[in-house]
Amino acid sequence: MELSALLEPLAGTPQTTLATVVLLLPLLAFAVLYLAGRKLPRHGDWLGIGATGLAFVLSLYLFAQTWNTSTFHSRTTWFSLPSDFITDFTAGILLDNLTVLMLVIVTFISTLVQLFSVGYMHGDTGYSRYFAYLGLFTFSMLGIVLVDNLLLLFMFWELVGLSSYLLIGFWYERPAANAASKKAFLVNRVGDVGLLLGLFAFYTYFRTFDLEALRSLIGVGEWLNGSFVTSYTLNGQPWLVELSPLFLTLAGLGLFMGCVGKSAQFPLQVWLPDAMQGPTPVSSLIHAATMVAAGVYLVARCYAFFTVDALTVIAIIGAVTALLGAIAALTQYDIKAVLAFSTISQLGYMVMGMGTGAHDASLFHLTTHAFFKAALFLNAGIIIHAMHRGMHHAHLPVDVDPQDIRNMGGLRKAMPLTFYTYLLAAAALVGLPLFSGFLSKDAILSGSWAWAQTMSQTNGNSLYFAVPIIGFTVVLLTAYYMGRHLWFMFFGSFRLPFDVKALRLSLSREVEQVMLWPVVMLAVLSLGIFFSLNPFSFAGSWVMQGVGIAVLSQEGALLANNLIQSVVMQDAANQTAHLVIGALSALLGIAGIALAIGRYRGKSNEALLQDVPHGPLARLSYNHFYLDAVYAAVLVRPVLWLSRMLYRLDKRVIDNTLEYASKWLVVFAKIVKWFDTWVVDGSVWLIGALSKVVGRFGRGLQSGKVQSYYAYSLFGFILIILYIMLN
């Protein structure tokens, strides 16, 4: 196989050209708003919304042109290096089912978030800057989705990190927002180091970053004597590549490290709860379908490069993350903190699905989660907005937290639309039947159960069943913390000293229309009927049928192909298990809600206001297993101590040494100057002066007077006579 033939330029198509327009529209909005946003009418919010809305319309057209119909790929030579061992670096756009699905999700959620922000951010001093940053964020995410090679993907990956830094720290005058943005940026860089090592590991042996070319090279390889062997021709020279399973596993886990950072997987999930310091619409955008989904998208795009061992590690990491996130959400009181830890847990579900071979189920859950989690966060924004408004009119002290669910209660009476939309989205998150989350969670649980059966039969170890068991446990925990969450906010009576109806925008209006309609649309899309005509079975879902391995990858183009095929066959044969798993998942969801209501229903307002975590396990959950404290003790403080020591070494040793050395150098320079002036220059002057005196004497002897010459001769003759006589 000639590698250069795999990387030949591909002419653009109208579809790829249109995709480029979709990519550039948010960037154009960012440039205009950042440079001249304050001078535009309404500070340019219409420009940001219009650009993203147009990108969404074009994405829908591309979806119709591509979905289950065709794949469009354009590629051009980006740059070349003068070497026979390096191929041309290419850049291109790839449109397949996964790409257009993500295009629609990202542009749709971004458009709704920007519409919502018109009401939420009204009057903010950084209004135009906010919409500019949203444009940059959307552009960065679309770049990750559209590009066809790992190098460009990494560049957009880093741009997403920069965009999230700007948005999380948007209110930079707040110390907490500043700290959160730096934390998110630095923690993500840890994962990105692994991603960079992983992509260069594959480049070292395959000499290309192009995803399609890499998949082709993997597809023609085979396992021989425990090693993966493939061959290709580079500039007419044959290359035989033989890679050990350990190397391929580590290289794949390097790529996965990017997901660990960006998608907040254990142990790098600590940045995501703090990311809620940004504006609530930003939290919706980050948590729903863009930044945190990028890690899962990366794993899906690079699925061919993961070995069985790598996928096993991915499954375990995903399961642990799902469990830790759910446990941490059990005791939170900040309305956004509950949803943030829920996001960590659901991302763990997606990653667990990827590791267990349920590739399509994981992407299905990514899709459904985008809508119901965006609805939850935007609803949280409406509630926070209303709480601020009510507290302002009631002149409550500033130390009363408007985001603390203990200060709420009975909100359904004053905000019925918010209650019902929140209820729909929460039901989807819990995974109740008829809702989208039920379908996608059921698909992941079924896939993970089939994986555990396959792995236990292959390796003779039943411990693999721990992964699906954790998945079922998380269903129960999710139902419990969402039941608790809803009860604190919407049921009982209002717990602050003013009328709950003061939370309304007016007597006739609950909230601004521009904030209400995005939430209603997202909540309606949380229903399962939009994803499968049979809302009790995921098998007929159009999403799963469009993003399966057989659709997105070439036949046999997987390092773990045998495992994936076995899991798919096992899952397809487990029709009875599907029914049992679906029923068990629904029962666990109902049981979790019932447990939460049973615990808090009989409590008085005073007890709910004073509710705090009791016991070591509750405190462990509330403090997120003290991971921040552990990292502070193990990493942050030692690094700060080392930096202080280095600072003192620099100031007290190196700087003092240089200072005293410079002083002695000045003294030495002055001595050298004195020696130069009085000895060197003086000697030269003395020699010159003596030469001048001698010259003058000699010149006197050469006066040109004959009488003088006779006198000098006579004088010399007399001296000679005297010398002879004396001797």
Side-chain angles (χ1 to χ4, degrees), residues 225-294:
N225 300 322
S227 298
F228 183 78
V229 180
T230 187
S231 60
Y232 57 89
T233 304
L234 176 59
N235 296 326
Q237 299 182 19
W239 286 69
L240 179 65
V241 177
E242 183 176 350
L243 300 173
S244 68
L246 178 60
F247 174 83
L248 287 171
T249 298
L250 293 176
L253 291 178
L255 296 177
F256 175 63
M257 276 297 295
C259 172
V260 171
K262 200 72 77 184
S263 290
Q265 298 298 289
F266 178 82
L268 300 182
Q269 77 271 36
V270 291
W271 69 268
L272 191 55
D274 291 354
M276 63 183 183
Q277 292 295 335
T280 301
V282 169
S283 301
S284 177
L285 193 62
I286 289 176
H287 288 243
T290 50
M291 180 175 178
V292 295

Side-chain angles (χ1 to χ4, degrees), residues 246-564:
L246 178 60
F247 174 83
L248 287 171
T249 298
L250 293 176
L253 291 178
L255 296 177
F256 175 63
M257 276 297 295
C259 172
V260 171
K262 200 72 77 184
S263 290
Q265 298 298 289
F266 178 82
L268 300 182
Q269 77 271 36
V270 291
W271 69 268
L272 191 55
D274 291 354
M276 63 183 183
Q277 292 295 335
T280 301
V282 169
S283 301
S284 177
L285 193 62
I286 289 176
H287 288 243
T290 50
M291 180 175 178
V292 295
V296 180
Y297 174 83
L298 172 69
V299 175
R301 270 288 174 230
C302 299
Y303 207 64
F305 314 144
F306 296 111
T307 63
V308 174
D309 291 338
L311 289 177
T312 303
V313 173
I314 290 172
I316 294 171
I317 292 294
V320 170
T321 303
L323 182 61
L324 295 182
I327 292 174
L330 294 175
T331 55
Q332 302 302 316
Y333 297 105
D334 188 295
I335 183 174
K336 291 169 67 175
V338 175
L339 300 180
F341 284 110
S342 169
T343 299
I344 293 174
S345 182
Q346 298 307 304
L347 289 168
Y349 252 117
M350 299 175 206
V351 171
M352 183 182 78
M354 285 290 176
T356 57
H359 172 279
D360 47 0
S362 180
L363 291 173
F364 185 22
H365 195 53
L366 185 154
T367 304
T368 59
H369 179 266
F371 299 117
F372 63 69
K373 186 52 65 70
L376 288 170
F377 264 106
L378 293 185
N379 261 314
I382 290 175
I383 294 170
I384 294 169
H385 220 250
M387 290 290 290
H388 274 289
R389 182 167 51 240
M391 290 170 55
H392 175 72
H393 291 314
H395 303 290
L396 291 186
V398 294
D399 60 343
V400 177
D401 188 357
Q403 296 184 196
D404 194 324
I405 58 176
R406 290 172 294 190
N407 294 328
M408 302 176 191
L411 298 188
R412 74 185 192 282
K413 302 171 186 175
M415 309 177 72
L417 287 174
T418 301
F419 168 65
Y420 288 119
T421 53
Y422 210 106
L423 194 63
L424 289 175
L429 173 58
V430 171
L432 296 181
L434 301 178
F435 293 91
S436 60
F438 171 78
L439 295 170
S440 53
K441 278 189 179 182
D442 191 21
I444 290 177
L445 291 171
S446 297
S448 63
W449 189 263
W451 172 83
Q453 288 181 310
T454 303
M455 295 295 288
S456 61
Q457 291 169 5
T458 303
N459 300 310
N461 193 333
S462 298
L463 286 176
Y464 292 101
F465 282 100
V467 170
I469 289 172
I470 288 175
F472 284 110
T473 304
V474 172
V475 172
L476 178 66
L477 297 177
T478 302
Y480 179 86
Y481 69 68
M482 285 310 295
R484 169 184 178 270
H485 190 60
L486 289 167
W487 184 267
F488 264 92
M489 293 191 299
F490 293 108
F491 294 91
S493 56
F494 193 57
R495 291 183 282 276
L496 288 183
F498 60 88
D499 188 359
V500 67
K501 293 190 176 179
L503 301 180
R504 294 177 63 88
L505 184 64
S506 65
L507 291 177
S508 60
R509 294 175 62 188
E510 178 179 330
V511 67
E512 295 93 332
Q513 295 296 315
V514 74
M515 295 172 67
L516 179 62
W517 286 111
V519 171
V520 171
M521 293 177 65
L522 290 167
V524 170
L525 288 172
S526 299
L527 297 173
I529 193 66
F530 292 101
F531 301 94
S532 176
L533 293 178
N534 182 355
F536 296 100
S537 174
F538 60 83
S541 169
W542 59 270
V543 177
M544 288 193 63
Q545 292 173 358
V547 296
I549 288 294
V551 177
L552 295 178
S553 296
Q554 302 174 13
E555 186 67 27
L558 299 171
L559 287 176
N561 188 59
N562 292 335
L563 170 66
I564 302 303

